[in-house]
Amino acid sequence: MFKAPRGTADILPEEQAYWRYIEEKAMSICRQCGYGMISTPAFEDAGLFTRSVGEGTDIVNKEMYIFKDRSDNELALRPEGTASVCRSYLEHGMDNLPQPVKLYYFADIFRYERPQAGRYRQHHQFGCEAIGEASPVLDAEVIHMAITFFKSLGLANFSLQLNSIGCKKCRPAYLERLREYYTPLKDQLCGDCRNRLEKNPLRLLDCKKPTCQVAADESPKSSEYLCEECGLHWESLKRYLTALGIEYILNHRLVRGLDYYTKTVFEIQPFEGGSQSALGGGGRYDDLIDMLGGKPTPAIGFATGLERIVLNLKSQSIEVPHNNKPALFIACMGEEAKTAALKIAADLREAGISVVVSAGERSLKAQLRHANAVGAASAVIIGDDEVKSGTVMLRNMETGEQQEVQPDELKKLSAI
Ligand code: AMP
């Protein structure tokens, strides 16, 4: 028997209500904030991600699903959403539109990770990107949008973690400072971090190994090494957030796992679950469009994983509307009754009423059990007598009361 590949999951009908709930809230907040929806391919030229996410990152080095197609093109299943949106922004000349261009997406994301609760090899993200504006007003707006989104879902018990990692002007001096700090501690670092020390010392800050975490706690803070421009941006952002009533926790170890971030980085963390359970995260990526061959274009974005949201909705016992129950179930006995049932169902569906028709040869009792199982509010029973009289029996599934009605009357009864 085949099984879904490790780290992937089927989203069964009873789970779908959560997904529709999340998508509707996401679309509604995007409409409110002036974002347009975009969809991009599930795979891209692998180079798009190596160049943008960065060659020294876990995502590119260890997690990317990379393959050659039959024409020898090197492709990768998307390991994140931002690079594809930026590629599309450039490919379709969106830099000629009034800026910022605001786009949102739902995308399945592929990362070869060690599967565990809340961590899969295929997961789904809702993300938004605002491209073409450098002002910290936009940072505040995107963060506000993320928080409002989670609150609109009914979620509580999360914090906003915030940091600034500077830009290409001020970061080199900070990285040098980090190397100085870490070099005497080299022996207590994990093998990966010893390698990162030369190539990508920023990554040492978010290593999950306990000894590396202890070292990171006392490490120099990037927000203390900002150039004038990044410093002003950082101060303005904090002021805007305070004005919006958004509480934040300064976290100097928050650097995010992708190389393209500049200045503002942030994560939404549930109170319970630790640093690997982030509900969402984002930040500014002022150099990314430039790195992909466009003119320098500042931008900021945010993404959240739908599986993580579902886990949090469940753990916080948040009810979501389940509207997949049919209004009517039609039980029928005999060949002529089946024909009548099909016609009545077609009529009712045309009138916008959801109907399930029982198609097999089961007893009336078994059919009514089925009506109960699918959660139908009422059942319509059609047997030989009803076919002869042209009427049907309408049964209230809760009380068991039955009454004879004309098929036409069902439309108004079931609309109630
Ligand atoms: P990232 O692009 O790593 O910042 O991820 C953005 C969000 O996607 C995270 O905050 C999580 O909610 C979610 N996410 C990331 N990786 C996974 C994964 N492997 N499985 C499930 N959700 C994930």
Side-chain angles (χ1 to χ4, degrees):
M1 287 274 270
F2 290 111
K3 287 192 161 179
R6 191 164 136 75
T8 69
D10 300 317
I11 305 160
L12 299 176
E14 57 269 27
E15 286 287 296
Q16 294 284 347
Y18 287 98
W19 291 70
R20 296 295 86 75
Y21 176 68
I22 299 166
E23 284 162 5
E24 275 165 28
K25 297 284 185 198
M27 289 199 264
S28 145
I29 191 113
C30 286
R31 262 195 307 274
Q32 285 167 9
C33 298
Y35 283 70
M37 190 169 184
I38 185 166
S39 306
T40 61
F43 57 87
E44 299 266 3
D45 272 336
L48 174 68
F49 302 114
T50 35
R51 196 184 303 178
S52 57
V53 177
E55 300 213 53
T57 58
D58 280 358
I59 292 182
V60 165
N61 283 353
K62 300 184 185 168
E63 296 170 2
M64 201 151 77
Y65 281 87
I66 190 163
F67 59 97
K68 286 214 164 134
D69 70 5
R70 287 165 200 269
S71 311
D72 237 19
N73 299 308
E74 193 161 64
L75 301 169
L77 297 183
R78 69 181 148 213
E80 61 103 40
T82 304
S84 304
V85 172
C86 291
R87 194 256 320 127
S88 179
Y89 170 91
L90 287 172
E91 188 171 338
H92 297 283
M94 290 188 231
D95 47 344
N96 294 318
L97 300 174
Q99 308 290 300
V101 173
K102 294 176 161 180
L103 302 165
Y104 78 96
Y105 59 85
F106 295 102
D108 30 10
I109 302 290
F110 305 87
R111 295 181 189 171
Y112 190 78
E113 299 203 76
R114 201 161 56 79
Q116 51 195 288
R119 188 161 295 276
Y120 313 100
R121 290 185 174 166
Q122 179 186 13
H123 72 276
H124 299 77
Q125 289 189 1
F126 153 52
C128 30
E129 316 290 348
I131 307 175
E133 173 58 63
S135 165
V137 166
L138 210 60
D139 305 35
E141 200 184 62
V142 167
I143 292 174
H144 182 249
M145 184 173 165
I147 305 264
T148 311
F149 166 64
F150 290 122
K151 286 192 178 157
S152 76
L153 292 167
L155 291 174
N157 303 339
F158 59 80
S159 67
L160 167 66
Q161 312 269 322
L162 193 64
N163 194 16
S164 172
I165 55 171
C167 67
K168 58 185 173 212
K169 268 189 282 167
C170 47
R171 194 156 336 135
Y174 172 62
L175 296 185
E176 218 23 70
R177 187 61 205 94
L178 269 186
R179 282 196 192 95
E180 271 169 37
Y181 167 81
Y182 273 109
T183 304
L185 307 175
K186 213 168 167 179
D187 289 346
Q188 69 186 66
L189 301 177
C190 70
D192 276 348
C193 279
R194 281 200 290 270
N195 287 332
R196 288 170 184 146
L197 190 52
E198 270 320 302
K199 283 196 226 130
N200 202 347
L202 211 55
R203 294 268 78 78
L204 278 104
L205 295 172
D206 65 353
C207 179
K208 306 295 179 269
K209 306 266 167 29
T211 51
C212 300
Q213 292 198 353
V214 172
D217 279 341
E218 299 300 318
S219 64
K221 298 181 167 64
S222 53
S223 58
E224 291 170 7
Y225 291 81
L226 300 177
C227 60
E228 191 186 353
E229 185 196 320
C230 290
L232 286 172
H233 189 100
W234 180 226
E235 293 309 321
S236 305
L237 169 62
K238 289 188 287 181
R239 222 177 32 250
Y240 294 140
L241 292 179
T242 306
L244 284 167
I246 298 174
E247 286 177 27
Y248 52 84
I249 296 174
L250 297 179
N251 179 353
H252 79 280
R253 291 182 38 198
L254 180 68
V255 290
R256 315 261 306 125
L258 304 90
D259 275 356
Y260 54 60
Y261 285 110
T262 50
K263 296 193 174 116
T264 313
V265 287
F266 64 96
E267 264 181 18
I268 316 291
Q269 293 277 359
F271 289 160
E272 285 169 18
S275 62
Q276 290 222 61
S277 60
L279 262 173
R284 206 162 245 296
Y285 49 91
D286 289 347
D287 301 329
L288 179 54
I289 300 272
D290 191 5
M291 277 153 67
L292 297 179
K295 57 180 191 284
T297 309
I300 179 161
F302 159 77
T304 169
L306 269 67
E307 285 83 355
R308 295 261 173 101
I309 299 180
V310 172
L311 284 175
N312 278 270
L313 289 171
K314 289 182 179 171
S315 70
Q316 295 186 26
S317 307
I318 292 165
E319 298 271 340
V320 301
H322 284 261
N323 49 9
N324 54 354
K325 291 181 183 161
L328 272 183
F329 183 96
I330 307 187
C332 42
M333 271 85 49
E335 202 42 47
E336 284 181 52
K338 277 186 195 160
T339 313
L342 279 174
K343 286 207 265 190
I344 292 171
D347 260 7
L348 289 173
R349 287 172 185 149
E350 208 171 286
I353 297 162
S354 54
V355 187
V356 170
V357 178
S358 174
E361 300 295 336
R362 292 166 302 170
S363 68
L364 178 60
K365 211 168 147 194
Q367 293 186 53
L368 290 179
R369 263 204 307 276
H370 187 180
N372 247 332
V374 296
S378 313
V380 168
I381 302 166
I382 314 175
D384 287 343
D385 289 351
E386 284 78 17
V387 170
K388 273 195 211 108
S389 65
T391 59
V392 298
M393 194 65 82
L394 179 68
R395 179 185 176 93
N396 180 319
M397 289 304 294
E398 209 176 293
T399 61
E401 267 170 58
Q402 297 197 160
Q403 64 181 113
E404 201 174 320
V405 299
Q406 294 292 325
D408 263 357
E409 287 177 68
L410 290 173
K411 283 183 201 161
K412 64 174 188 287
L413 286 171
S414 26
I416 295 168

